[in-house]
Amino acid sequence: MFKKNMEIVVFLFPQLNFSAPKEEAYFKMLSPADLQVERKKETKSRVKEKEKKTRLSLLLTKSGSHENVNPDTKKTTKSACVTPEEALKWSDSFEELLNQKDGMETFTKFLKTEFSEENIEFWLACEDYKKTKSTSKLASKAKQIYAVYIESEAPKEINIDFSTKTTIKQNILNPTRSCFDSAQSKVYSLMKKDCYPRFLHSDIYLNLTKTKPPTGNMFRRRSRSCVFNDRGEAETEMAIWL
């Protein structure tokens, strides 16, 4: 009798497939309007999950003693405290710029205007990483750096070649203090050859030195336009920027 009644129900309501998963049967019972609402809820849920993952990756930079991953957490020095004489010394060399706290902070401010501050943040993270003595902390920091800067679609992914990324992924399984050296060297070279010259001609720097900008047209481009090939050489398409 029960079987016969079920057959009648299925005949009258064919959309009810009782052999299908409950969720599938539920969606089939909804009207088009209700179905659209449910789909929107599902999409929002996925977006929230993605945002949660991103926040988690960013929080990794604040755990442990890994203070240098994100320079934003450090107190910045007001540019008014920098004298023109001090700022002029930064033009002596890129190394001189990074050796000065005010120079580092001003350069970071400049990179933010070009949306490429992840370069200096990664370099600082590597400097901090190489000073780590504890083996357990070394492994933890290696995972943090990889999650924030190296992994595909990482919150602050740096622009390095696939071969270097693959090598780092293998190295962090048994991390040493040198497992990020290759990537750090490439990012340093990129900042020195590509970002530093533009920094010296930027309004941020010229306002500190009280000097006038050079005459003539300057071409501007973001540091991310430089791409490293598998040989570790920086390649740029200069023609499109002239």
Side-chain angles (χ1 to χ4, degrees):
M1 182 67 179
F2 175 77
K3 182 177 180 182
K4 185 176 182 180
N5 289 338
M6 288 296 295
E7 291 175 350
I8 294 174
V9 172
V10 173
F11 176 76
L12 295 175
F13 304 97
Q15 70 271 25
L16 295 179
N17 182 1
F18 292 95
S19 63
K22 292 181 179 180
E23 183 179 356
E24 182 180 340
Y26 169 71
F27 281 116
K28 286 185 178 181
M29 291 176 63
L30 297 175
S31 65
D34 292 335
L35 181 61
Q36 186 176 6
V37 172
E38 290 297 325
R39 294 302 183 192
K40 286 183 179 180
K41 289 182 180 179
E42 184 179 358
T43 301
K44 287 182 179 179
S45 178
R46 291 177 180 175
V47 171
K48 288 182 179 179
E49 186 65 27
K50 186 175 181 181
E51 291 176 347
K52 182 178 178 181
K53 181 180 179 181
T54 301
R55 288 196 299 269
L56 180 61
S57 296
L58 291 172
L59 285 173
L60 286 173
T61 65
K62 299 180 181 180
S63 62
S65 61
H66 200 50
E67 296 175 356
N68 285 331
V69 168
N70 189 354
D72 290 344
T73 60
K74 299 170 64 179
K75 293 182 179 180
T76 57
T77 303
K78 293 182 179 179
S79 58
C81 297
V82 181
T83 65
E85 292 74 21
E86 291 173 331
L88 283 171
K89 293 179 181 179
W90 303 344
S91 64
D92 291 344
S93 68
F94 185 54
E95 290 73 18
E96 178 67 23
L97 172 68
L98 297 187
N99 284 333
Q100 302 297 322
K101 181 181 178 182
D102 293 334
M104 175 78 72
E105 292 177 354
T106 306
F107 184 60
T108 300
K109 182 180 178 181
F110 165 74
L111 291 180
K112 287 181 179 180
T113 66
E114 296 200 334
F115 306 99
S116 59
E117 68 272 15
E118 71 279 357
N119 293 318
I120 191 66
E121 291 179 10
F122 171 72
W123 185 83
L124 287 171
C126 291
E127 288 295 288
D128 174 69
Y129 175 80
K130 289 186 291 188
K131 298 175 183 176
T132 305
K133 297 181 180 180
S134 169
T135 303
S136 60
K137 287 185 178 180
L138 198 70
S140 175
K141 289 184 178 183
K143 291 179 181 178
Q144 291 173 8
I145 293 174
Y146 182 80
V148 176
Y149 299 104
I150 307 298
E151 189 176 26
S152 296
E153 298 184 2
K156 298 185 178 183
E157 183 180 3
I158 59 172
N159 191 9
I160 55 176
D161 58 274
F162 178 77
S163 178
T164 303
K165 281 191 174 186
T166 302
T167 301
I168 292 175
K169 186 176 182 180
Q170 295 172 348
N171 289 343
I172 64 172
L173 296 177
N174 295 294
T176 63
R177 291 183 180 85
S178 62
C179 65
F180 293 104
D181 282 1
S182 178
Q184 185 186 20
S185 177
K186 291 178 180 180
V187 168
Y188 182 88
S189 178
L190 174 65
M191 291 191 296
K192 181 177 181 178
K193 296 178 181 179
D194 188 64
C195 305
Y196 177 60
R198 290 201 309 281
F199 166 74
L200 296 178
H201 292 94
S202 68
D203 292 338
I204 291 176
Y205 179 68
L206 295 176
N207 287 338
L208 289 177
T209 59
K210 308 299 182 183
T211 56
K212 295 181 179 180
T215 58
N217 294 326
M218 292 288 295
F219 69 88
R220 298 182 63 85
R221 57 187 169 84
R222 287 175 55 184
S223 61
R224 292 190 185 189
S225 61
C226 279
V227 180
F228 287 102
N229 58 30
D230 289 334
R231 297 189 301 276
E233 301 170 340
E235 296 180 342
T236 57
E237 295 182 1
M238 298 295 292
I240 64 174
W241 297 105
L242 298 178

